[in-house]
């Protein structure tokens, strides 16, 4: 039969970068294109022990239907955790989601009609961009500078798009650029959102993974009006396979998110919620995070040092203070897509920068590197290969 | 601030039956309103053993990011399982979802624009009705007779609504009515869908739980055109808390579902997928299902016998051949909502029938009873209380 799909889904085009990304499943390819937590970052024995205890003491609780809003003790832990950081406002509450991805998608669903504008950073996280596209919104990208989104361009975008409903931002160690937004810019973004009466969706999956510099308050901590929807996750600090994230927001939009979550998946896997709660109740959060920071500080430095030693000086890199990604920019005389294709032929996969733009038609000479997934040996080998590819193209 | 929500979400009204449903969380209330598998139906020790082995042998595999389409060995098991029943067509494939709920919601998302018509049974499953409402479609309910949906009314609904995109059906032991659609009606529904060129979404969470009568082939097994999207689940046969379901469909709509699943939750909890695969690989499927059928045959008979003994003869009941629910209908001289309110005051919760209608404005004198959640003692006690409430209202 001939299928007719909804307008939202018809507009989802197959990606031109698929040809490169499909090689990431090949184990012989060095995985600089991935975004997985490092293997050594998983407390596997502790999780196995906790899981055993849960399935011994309360098996029905871990296997039966549960509440859409999430496991109450985990919600309590998160409330306390966010309250310490000044994130939880007076009229705010916390709901568990199936990864921060679900919180982002549902925020768009409750706020935007088809054709409404969502403003995001350019570049931004591909998973969120696709979530917005699947709601058939008008996506507008605003350039990211070394200290975060360009405020002048953001104001122009808001003026040019009076139907803007939300601004989507990743202020800490942004995916893909690795850039962190300064406090001044966070304040300026909040003021603009307030002036134009739009919601900010703040995506903070990497915030805990700061391995250099000083913490900067989240935009949500500046929120006096219930204007910011804050999305967090256990994916990068415990386990992404569990699919446990959360959303902190004013209870009015949060209730809409709960209704939409209920029709999406009823509730998040309850065993995983119980494991998260037990892990961070039994084990010291700060010690656990310090261990992760040490891992990523070392791996990030290893990749950056090797990039500086091996790569032609005409290629520039961001130097992230946390997170999992480095953003590399090629000189004008190297075609970025050709570079990525040549790299994967030599068994190193990176993500072409166009993947992170609101449209693949937007030109960029950048690509994304990930240092958390590959082993230390692969980091050294992979950078050498990339350097040889670059040199052969100059 | 004043929040403005999308048209889809603004149309989601708070439910008039909430006042009754909120009592279902009270442990002193007898839970005839729930839909949980029986406690004795969970193979808790076997799941704990399998989980231990997985977390010992392949902890990173169970905790790391995984594929959107699902765990390949589980997809293989489901393909074989569906193939045996003639469900898997030549151009079909299987994708794992976060419960059948996600498969149903995403089917609507890929097929329907706002305002398009979805036809469903009246009554039908509240979770699906809300999923459709959250996509702001025009919901049309077609009455269910003792052998399934009324074919004449379905044809009239299709004629009256030329923008119909999908027909949503639960052919086996329907939730809430407990009614099973005859083979003749399955064929007639398929022929109508073909004539009017609409998709059938077949929801079959209870199909395995037949405790009387003979299996009837699913509509999907009659599908020669790729017209049926078949939704299955491990919730009622292993564990709902794991949130593992699946969808079997022609690969063209299935690819659209995969893109939408990716932006919804990236993938389904991978540990739970591995547990499902191991459980049904190590343990005999037929033995496991026979055990569940015995449990529900006994509980269903206990509730029906007690209803027949205790209740006034003017109240009628469906006698399901499987599943978890009985549908009771009151005589005209008892107001259904008053009956439900009086019952919950006496500590027995049932679900008012309006909850399962496309609109709460539609009058019904029926309510739903669940026999899987309460213990045997609670079934006996609860029916006595309901009978006294009914007698006091006659």
């Amino acid at each position: 039969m001939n299928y007719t799909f909804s307008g939202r889904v018809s507009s989802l085009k197959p990606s031109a970068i698929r040809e490169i990304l499909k090689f990431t499943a090949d184990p012989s390819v060095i995985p600089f294109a991935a975004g997985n937590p490092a293997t050594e970052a998983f407390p596997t024995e502790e999780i196995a022990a906790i899981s055993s205890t849960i399935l011994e003491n309360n098996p029905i609780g871990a296997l039966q239907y549960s509440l859409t809003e999430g496991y109450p003790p985990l919600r309590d832990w998160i409330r306390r955790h966010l309250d310490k950081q000044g994130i939880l406002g007076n009229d705010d509450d916390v709901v568990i989601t199936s990864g921060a991805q679900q919180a982002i998608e549902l925020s768009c669903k409750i706020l935007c009609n088809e054709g409404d504008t969502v403003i995001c950073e350019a570049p931004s996280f591909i998973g969120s961009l696709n979530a917005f596209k699947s709601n058939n919104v008008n996506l507008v990208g605003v350039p990211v500078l070394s200290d975060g989104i360009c405020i002048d361009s953001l104001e122009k975008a808001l003026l040019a798009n009076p139907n803007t409903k939300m601004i989507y931002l990743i202020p800490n160690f942004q995916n893909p650029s690795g850039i962190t937004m300064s406090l001044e810019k966070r304040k300026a973004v909040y003021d603009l959102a307030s002036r134009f009466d739009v919601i900010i969706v703040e995506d903070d999956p990497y915030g805990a993974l700061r391995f250099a510099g000083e913490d900067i308050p989240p935009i949500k901590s500046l929120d006096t009006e219930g204007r910011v929807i804050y999305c967090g996750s256990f994916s990068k600090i415990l386990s992404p396979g569990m699919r446990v994230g959360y959303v902190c927001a004013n209870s009015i939009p949060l209730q809409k998110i709960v209704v939409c979550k209920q029709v999406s998946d009823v509730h998040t896997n309850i065993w995983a919620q119980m494991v998260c709660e037990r892990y961070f109740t039994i084990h010291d959060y700060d010690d656990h995070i310090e261990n992760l920071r040490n891992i990523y500080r070392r791996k990030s430095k290893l990749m950056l040092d090797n990039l500086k030693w091996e790569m032609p000086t005409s290629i520039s890199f961001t130097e992230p203070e946390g997170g999992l990604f480095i953003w590399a920019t090629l000189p004008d005389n190297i075609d970025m897509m050709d570079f990525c294709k040549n790299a994967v032929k030599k068994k190193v996969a990176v993500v072409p920068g166009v993947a992170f733009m609101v449209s693949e038609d937007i030109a960029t000479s950048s690509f994304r590197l990930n240092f958390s997934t590959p082993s230390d040996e692969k980091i050294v080998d992979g950078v050498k290969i990339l350097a040889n590819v670059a040199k052969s193209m100059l």
Side-chain angles (χ1 to χ4, degrees), chain A residues 41-350:
Chain A
F42 290 84
T44 54
E45 285 174 27
E46 290 84 351
I47 289 175
I50 286 169
S51 179
S52 262
T53 306
I54 291 170
L55 290 173
E56 194 181 323
N57 294 346
N58 186 12
I60 301 299
L63 298 171
Q64 187 57 282
Y65 275 119
S66 185
L67 302 169
T68 301
E69 290 85 349
Y71 180 54
L74 180 62
R75 294 176 73 198
D76 283 343
W77 185 89
I78 296 167
R79 285 189 195 103
R80 289 194 301 274
H81 179 67
L82 296 181
D83 199 32
K84 273 186 235 164
Q85 302 166 74
I87 291 174
L88 187 78
N90 282 337
D91 300 319
D92 290 343
D93 202 1
V94 169
V95 158
I96 307 298
T97 54
S98 300
Q101 179 76 39
Q102 187 179 46
I104 294 159
E105 204 271 318
L106 294 186
S107 295
C108 184
K109 179 171 180 176
I110 67 159
L111 294 172
C112 299
N113 288 313
E114 295 192 38
D116 282 346
T117 295
V118 171
I119 296 179
C120 60
E121 293 152 320
S124 186
F125 170 49
I126 186 169
S128 298
L129 298 183
N130 286 337
F132 305 147
K133 287 176 188 174
S134 84
N135 281 288
N136 216 5
V137 298
N138 173 40
L139 255 186
V140 174
V142 171
V144 177
L145 309 178
S146 63
D147 59 346
I149 196 166
C150 174
I151 299 294
D152 283 351
S153 304
L154 175 58
E155 184 174 10
K156 279 184 194 137
L158 285 162
L159 283 167
N161 296 282
N163 67 345
T164 301
K165 292 293 164 62
M166 61 182 261
I167 306 173
Y168 169 75
L169 300 164
I170 311 165
N172 290 319
F173 334 123
Q174 202 237 14
N175 179 0
S177 71
I179 285 169
T180 296
M181 195 188 297
S182 67
L183 180 59
E184 293 66 38
K185 287 207 164 170
R186 294 180 193 215
K187 288 177 178 165
V189 165
Y190 184 82
D191 289 344
L192 276 178
S194 195
R195 198 176 114 207
F196 286 89
D197 197 21
V198 301
I199 298 278
I200 294 172
V201 174
E202 181 174 22
D203 186 14
D204 194 20
Y206 316 106
L209 303 182
R210 175 179 280 280
F211 45 71
E214 295 293 322
D215 278 339
I216 299 174
I219 304 173
K220 179 70 183 152
S221 69
L222 312 171
D223 183 15
T224 55
E225 306 159 288
R227 185 173 297 288
V228 183
I229 296 176
Y230 179 88
C231 307
S233 178
F234 290 94
S235 289
K236 307 304 188 293
I237 62 170
L238 194 63
S239 154
M242 286 186 179
R243 311 305 308 128
V244 182
Y246 55 88
V247 54
C248 172
N250 178 283
S251 57
I252 297 172
L254 201 59
Q255 260 315 107
K256 296 284 182 186
I257 288 174
V258 169
V259 175
C260 288
K261 174 171 174 59
Q262 187 157 46
V263 304
S264 176
D265 63 2
V266 188
H267 65 78
T268 295
N269 180 296
I270 179 63
W271 165 87
Q273 295 186 64
M274 292 168 94
V275 168
C276 288
E277 190 275 334
R278 279 293 87 192
Y279 186 84
F280 287 112
T281 301
I282 294 172
H283 300 280
D284 186 77
Y285 178 81
D286 293 334
D287 286 353
H288 174 78
I289 295 298
E290 191 53 38
N291 177 46
L292 299 185
R293 289 175 173 182
N294 290 337
I295 293 169
Y296 294 124
R297 183 182 296 116
R298 187 176 53 70
K299 291 184 92 80
S300 154
K301 184 170 184 306
L302 181 67
M303 183 175 268
L304 273 169
D305 284 350
N306 276 273
L307 286 168
K308 287 173 193 167
W309 291 328
E310 300 281 351
M311 288 293 243
T313 54
S314 56
I315 302 177
S316 64
F317 315 99
T318 56
E319 299 201 18
E321 296 188 326
L324 309 178
F325 303 108
I326 293 168
W327 187 241
T329 302
L330 294 163
D332 290 344
N333 52 347
I334 298 182
D335 180 86
M336 187 273 297
M337 281 303 287
D338 287 346
F339 175 84
C340 294
K341 283 176 193 163
N342 291 341
V344 85
K345 273 183 211 153
K346 299 286 181 190
K347 303 275 186 186
V348 180
V350 299

